[in-house]
Amino acid sequence: MQKDIESLFGHLWESYIKVTPSAHQVHALLGGGEPIVNDHVAFRTFNLPKVGLEKLAAHFRALGYEEKGQYVFKAKKLYAKHFEHRDPDAPKVFISELKVEELSPQAQAIIHSLVAQMPDHLTDSPVFLYTGAPWLISHGDYQTLLAESEYAAWLAAWGYRANHFTVSINRLPGFDTIQAVNAALKQAGFVLNTVGGEVKGDPQVMLEQSATMADKAEVAFSDGVRRIPSCFYEFALRYPQADGTLYPGFVEASADKIFESTNVM
Ligand code: OOG
Ligand code: NI
């Protein structure tokens, strides 16, 4: 991998494992000490000019990533794009944004007040992609957002970081099916996301996915520290297309359920 890509993903991994300690156990369990190849990482943001999807995407485009797919999640009020790099070892990148204008006036006001706390040019440097929340929020405002949009609440609390890494089962020696991966995870005590079933997708849509339920970690709210859902690990198995190459995209119906891996249990 290009040095600059490797370095960015190294930083993303560091900030992710700080709040996702079980990621180490996932690697130990599935990798058996060998390096794990990641299929993709995902980011979340608000669709406001200062922090919209394209502000994040710019840093990946600068590294040679190209925009490939677009996705709409009507009920969750989200829009997303995915990006790929010609280097097959460079993880794909999935970036979604919340359509803030579709929320209640109260939720909109909270979100605008968070983004207003950010210095204007913070997103100019790729460092913002892994420095967490560039604002302070009260636990009360977090709960107000949570009642309306779990996505908004998660983003308000955790900010900019990889929301999940994703093990590429295609590149995982020792496991041929997603069912075998899920069985190993459950045997080790992991709790899987069961929304719509443990396996999202099937060979017909050329992508099967599963995910752990997010770890919990402490957030310093303006009025005290609370433990809330942080980040999760995803597992993806891609199937070959007619031309023999693996399907490179995402599947809206499956992604819609993967989002729920940060739900409060
Ligand atoms: C992204 C959920 C979608 C996938 O692989 O379909 C996704 C998120 O939870 O932010 O990552
Ligand atoms: Ni994902």
Side-chain angles (χ1 to χ4, degrees):
M1 240 191 288
Q2 278 167 229
K3 277 271 148 28
D4 45 7
I5 296 184
E6 209 171 86
S7 159
L8 175 56
F9 281 95
H11 287 298
L12 289 169
W13 177 256
E14 288 306 316
S15 84
Y16 167 76
I17 53 170
K18 267 188 206 141
V19 300
T20 324
S22 70
H24 284 305
Q25 286 150 259
V26 168
H27 275 207
L29 181 70
L30 301 181
E34 295 298 310
I36 296 269
V37 177
N38 283 297
D39 178 271
H40 68 270
V41 303
F43 296 90
R44 299 177 174 183
T45 194
F46 299 119
N47 73 341
L48 303 181
K50 230 162 140 182
V51 293
L53 191 162
E54 289 300 333
K55 295 282 186 194
L56 286 76
H59 296 292
F60 291 99
R61 294 185 199 275
L63 292 171
Y65 275 82
E66 287 175 30
E67 180 180 328
K68 295 291 180 181
Q70 295 184 39
Y71 311 90
V72 173
F73 305 93
K74 207 167 183 310
K76 289 189 172 69
K77 307 179 168 78
L78 302 173
Y79 172 72
K81 284 183 180 178
H82 99 264
F83 299 82
E84 295 173 30
H85 197 276
R86 61 187 176 279
D87 179 348
D89 287 341
K92 298 177 212 303
V93 175
F94 182 95
I95 309 175
S96 58
E97 64 178 12
L98 178 65
K99 297 176 193 164
V100 175
E101 72 280 5
E102 295 185 10
L103 300 183
S104 70
Q106 194 188 10
Q108 287 190 46
I110 294 171
I111 292 165
H112 281 277
S113 79
L114 297 178
V115 173
Q117 292 177 41
M118 288 175 63
D120 270 342
H121 295 285
L122 195 74
T123 60
D124 290 355
S125 159
V127 171
F128 99 95
L129 293 170
Y130 49 88
T131 40
W135 48 66
L136 202 54
I137 179 171
S138 69
H139 189 249
D141 281 351
Y142 168 81
Q143 283 182 305
T144 301
L145 292 179
L146 189 58
E148 195 172 322
S149 162
E150 187 280 325
Y151 181 106
W154 185 92
L155 176 56
W158 293 110
Y160 299 98
R161 60 181 65 246
N163 162 274
H164 58 275
F165 276 70
T166 308
V167 172
S168 167
I169 301 175
N170 299 82
R171 308 273 302 263
L172 194 62
F175 292 90
D176 293 331
T177 66
I178 195 164
Q179 287 77 12
V181 170
N182 289 349
L185 290 164
K186 285 190 288 182
Q187 173 115 46
F190 285 96
V191 178
L192 297 182
N193 171 337
T194 58
V195 180
E198 275 174 11
V199 177
K200 288 88 168 101
D202 55 36
Q204 278 68 51
V205 298
M206 292 182 284
L207 176 60
E208 289 177 327
Q209 294 163 275
S210 63
T212 60
M213 287 306 285
D215 280 0
K216 283 199 171 138
E218 290 185 344
V219 170
F221 290 100
S222 59
D223 46 358
V225 172
R226 304 286 179 114
R227 276 175 78 79
I228 62 163
S230 52
C231 302
F232 59 90
Y233 224 125
E234 185 190 318
F235 311 89
L237 180 63
R238 295 183 180 276
Y239 286 83
Q241 307 172 104
D243 69 359
T245 63
L246 294 180
Y247 173 69
F250 290 78
V251 175
E252 264 170 18
S254 303
D256 192 58
K257 301 174 184 111
I258 297 283
F259 279 112
E260 310 220 5
S261 307
T262 49
N263 284 358
V264 181
M265 281 192 289

